[in-house]
Every structure is written in C-alpha cells, then in structure tokens.
Amino acid sequence: MTEAPSPAPVRIRPEIAALPPYRQGKQAGADAFKLSSNENPFEPLPSVIEALRSSTDVNRYPDASAARLRARLAARFGVSVDGVHVAAGSVSILQQLALATAGPGDELMYAWRSFEAYPGLAAVAGATALAVPLAADGTHDLDAMAAAVTDRTRLILVCSPNNPTGPIVTQAAFDAFLARVPGDVLVVLDEAYAEFVTDPSAVDGARVLAAGHQNVVVLRTFSKAYGLAGLRIGYGVGHPRILDAARTTGIPLSVTAQAERAALASLDAEDELIARVAVLTDRRDRLAAGLRAAGWNIPDAQGNFVWLPTGEHTLDVAPRFEEAGLIVRPFAGDGVRISVGEEESIPTVLEVAASAISLLPEGHPARTR
C-alpha cells in the first residue's frame, strides 16, 4: 500500500501542492529500446561533437542573449534579432509567456490531450486552465476553441503536429482560427516537431509570421529533429515586445554556451540533419502503416511518434511493450505514445502491437476489425 505524502513543512499555494510534477518518459535499460520521450535515436553529428569538445570555458558565463544564434535564426525567419528569443528548451518559453500574459482570473486555453506540460503552465501562473477536447481523429477542434474564447482568455496554445496524438493543424484552419481570435490574445503555435511534417497542407509558423499576425509567437526546438535534447535549447519567434515580456520572466543565463555552439553547428550541418529526418519520417510512415495493417485505428502521424488510442485500456496495453524491451509512454485513460526509434525496434513494436490489440474489446474505436 502506498503511503500518502507527508505535508510540506511550509505553506504552499494549494493549486501548486495539488499539481503533479512533470514526469518525463521512463528511462530504458541497456537491453531495451527507449521509445518514451520522442528523442532522436541518432547520435550527434561529428561536427556537433567537435563544437562541444571545443567548448571548455565552463568557468565563464555564457552570452545571456545567445546573440549569434538569434542572428542566424532572425535571418532565417526574416525578422529582427529582437524578434527571436532563445531559452532552455521551447517549454521554458511557454512558461515565460504564461507568466507574462496570464494571472489570477485569466484563462489559458489549450487542446486536450496535448503536451502534458500545458496544464501546469496555468497553475504556476495562477490562471485558470481551459482544456478543449480534441476531435475524434486526434486533431485540434479549432472551431470549439475559438467559440470558447472569452474576455478572460489571455493565452491560447496550439500544438502542430499535436503531441501525443500526431496530427497537424492545417494552414487554412489556423488562418480561419486567427480571424476569430481577438488581436490582443496571444496565440502560441508550438511547432516542436515541425521538421518531421510531410503533409503540405500543414500550418507553417514562418508563413503565419510573414502574414503579419502580431499576436502569434512560433516556438521551435533543437531537441527533436536536431538531436540536442540533452542540451536544452529552443527558440521563439514573434513580436519583440511580446518576447521582451518573456525574457523578463525567464531565468537569466539559462542557455549554456555549449548549447548555443551545438545549435549553430547543427544549422551549419543542416543538409545532413535533413537526411536523417527523412530516414525517421520514412520509418514513422512504415510503422504507422504496419499498425494499421495489424488492425489499429490510429491518427495521422506527422511527428516522430505514433499514437495508440487505447483509452481506458491503456494501462493494460502498455506493459506488453515493456515486457518486450520497448519503453513506451502510456497516458492513463487516453493512449500509448510510441516514439520512432532505432530501425531494429520496428519489427518488435509491430509484433507486440499486433498481439496487444486483442486486449481491446470488439468495437473499440482503436480497432478496425
């Protein structure tokens, strides 16, 4: 029997005390495949490793503004340097923007299920979380989200491709959504998995910004496609005054010089990285096709992961994978997310999935037969 946690020795805000800490995907042993954290299974490129080896000046503080990286990204997006903000992962910028825009009495809106850190952002800011259910196919219901906007809405999070379910938001749907959202409400387009998208109809943050939507901030990261998850570096692009507010709430000097140099080296080696992404998207598509052939009804996969919508049977299905040396990410009551990992993992994933579907009753929406 699990003992109840002892009370804190000091007074904690009740909404924080009730909030479960963020829990990352389970680690894997040496004999297992870690498919729980949407990491890039490729090792860093040699040029990136060399950049890290030359970064030995850890006795000095880094450039707090990450000026070189911001200049590179500003040129890419066609914005001023002040229109780019670099932080310790894009989730850091999400929290900074939540703190900058929302407080007690305000609302922070997101689709659900989406990135598991979103509910905590509202709680930490002291705002009210407003979760709008996804459509049945795992996509954002942008019509319902637009209809839910009130005078209290301060921040709306849109994740494309959606983590953990996988589908994109289309450009047409996002444009129509923005037309219904008041211009003084911040809309964050979270594109952490943008590099893996192969659907040409997907929303493109660069295009949104070029159209002059000043209430939109686009977030991207070097953690996924670029394979720098362990260095924690991501960025936001948007109106300089909005990003100034984020910078004000952020922890100074949180981006290390090593992370900035690795990101710059990754941009220099982008052709090699794009080739690796192509391998992963091919692997993803083969994995998704194999799951459908086994009788699974899964959403469109446009990130570096696939989603099994197992619902109330999630905690029955997930252990089957772990028993086979596959560490996946179960979300109790919703489904199982499986990251695209090493090529050698694919046959085992498909074999286990074909067996595990029998745990779902006939007629379950995750089954096609």
Side-chain angles (χ1 to χ4, degrees):
M1 182 175 178
T2 303
E3 293 184 6
S6 60
V10 299
R11 284 177 286 184
I12 304 292
R13 287 168 49 199
E15 63 272 27
I16 298 300
L19 185 69
Y22 174 80
R23 300 191 186 281
Q24 69 180 121
K26 185 177 179 180
Q27 300 298 309
D31 58 346
F33 291 103
K34 187 185 178 191
L35 310 177
S36 57
S37 296
N38 292 348
E39 296 156 326
N40 192 319
F42 290 107
E43 293 184 353
L45 291 169
S47 57
V48 175
I49 293 176
E50 184 57 35
L52 290 172
R53 284 176 175 163
S54 67
S55 303
T56 59
D57 52 343
V58 293
N59 58 311
R60 302 294 184 185
Y61 286 117
D63 173 4
S65 69
R68 290 191 299 156
L69 181 57
R70 288 171 64 207
R72 285 284 294 276
L73 295 171
R76 168 170 298 204
F77 282 85
V79 300
S80 69
V81 173
D82 288 339
V84 178
H85 175 39
V86 174
S90 55
V91 69
S92 294
I93 304 177
L94 280 172
Q95 184 174 52
Q96 292 165 14
L97 291 170
L99 291 171
T101 59
D106 299 328
E107 293 175 345
L108 187 156
M109 183 191 300
Y110 48 86
W112 195 253
R113 176 176 281 274
S114 194
F115 181 34
E116 62 266 32
Y118 289 167
L121 299 175
V124 171
T128 299
L130 182 58
V132 178
L134 294 168
D137 61 356
T139 61
H140 280 57
D141 188 344
L142 291 180
D143 285 338
M145 293 179 72
V149 174
T150 71
D151 291 340
R152 297 170 58 196
T153 308
R154 295 292 179 270
L155 175 59
I156 303 173
L157 307 175
V158 177
C159 185
S160 179
N162 186 52
N163 173 26
T165 60
I168 56 153
V169 170
T170 67
Q171 185 72 53
F174 192 74
D175 290 343
F177 175 69
L178 287 181
R180 296 179 61 185
V181 174
D184 61 353
V185 174
L186 175 60
V187 178
V188 173
L189 178 59
D190 187 349
E191 291 190 298
Y193 301 92
E195 293 84 1
F196 298 103
V197 173
T198 54
D199 186 336
S201 69
V203 64
D204 178 1
R207 178 176 172 181
V208 172
L209 295 172
H213 295 288
Q214 295 190 352
N215 65 325
V216 175
V217 168
V218 173
L219 295 186
R220 293 195 179 177
T221 183
F222 287 94
S223 294
K224 309 302 183 185
Y226 290 87
L228 302 184
L231 289 174
R232 308 305 304 128
I233 184 162
Y235 63 96
V237 186
H239 193 284
R241 289 296 296 122
I242 298 174
L243 298 181
D244 280 346
R247 285 184 270 263
T248 298
T249 64
I251 299 173
L253 302 163
S254 60
V255 176
T256 66
Q258 291 70 28
E260 183 185 15
R261 288 169 186 165
L264 288 165
S266 296
L267 292 175
D268 289 339
E270 201 151 32
D271 288 346
E272 294 175 83
L273 286 164
I274 290 172
R276 286 183 168 188
V277 168
V279 170
L280 292 174
T281 55
D282 174 73
R283 198 174 291 171
R284 173 200 69 199
D285 292 346
R286 287 188 287 112
L287 178 58
L291 291 169
R292 293 187 178 106
W296 284 93
N297 179 26
I298 65 171
D300 185 30
Q302 288 289 307
N304 66 336
F305 52 89
V306 295
W307 174 250
L308 304 181
T310 45
E312 68 275 18
H313 300 280
T314 294
L315 299 185
D316 299 321
V317 171
R320 285 282 186 96
F321 290 92
E322 187 166 346
E323 290 164 6
L326 303 167
I327 307 304
V328 297
R329 185 69 182 272
F331 295 89
D334 289 310
V336 177
R337 190 189 68 196
I338 306 173
S339 304
V340 177
E342 293 82 356
E343 178 66 31
E344 295 78 10
S345 70
I346 302 299
T348 308
V349 171
L350 292 175
E351 180 182 351
V352 174
S355 169
I357 199 169
S358 65
L359 298 172
L360 306 180
E362 290 187 12
H364 191 282
R367 295 184 64 162
T368 58
R369 58 176 184 265

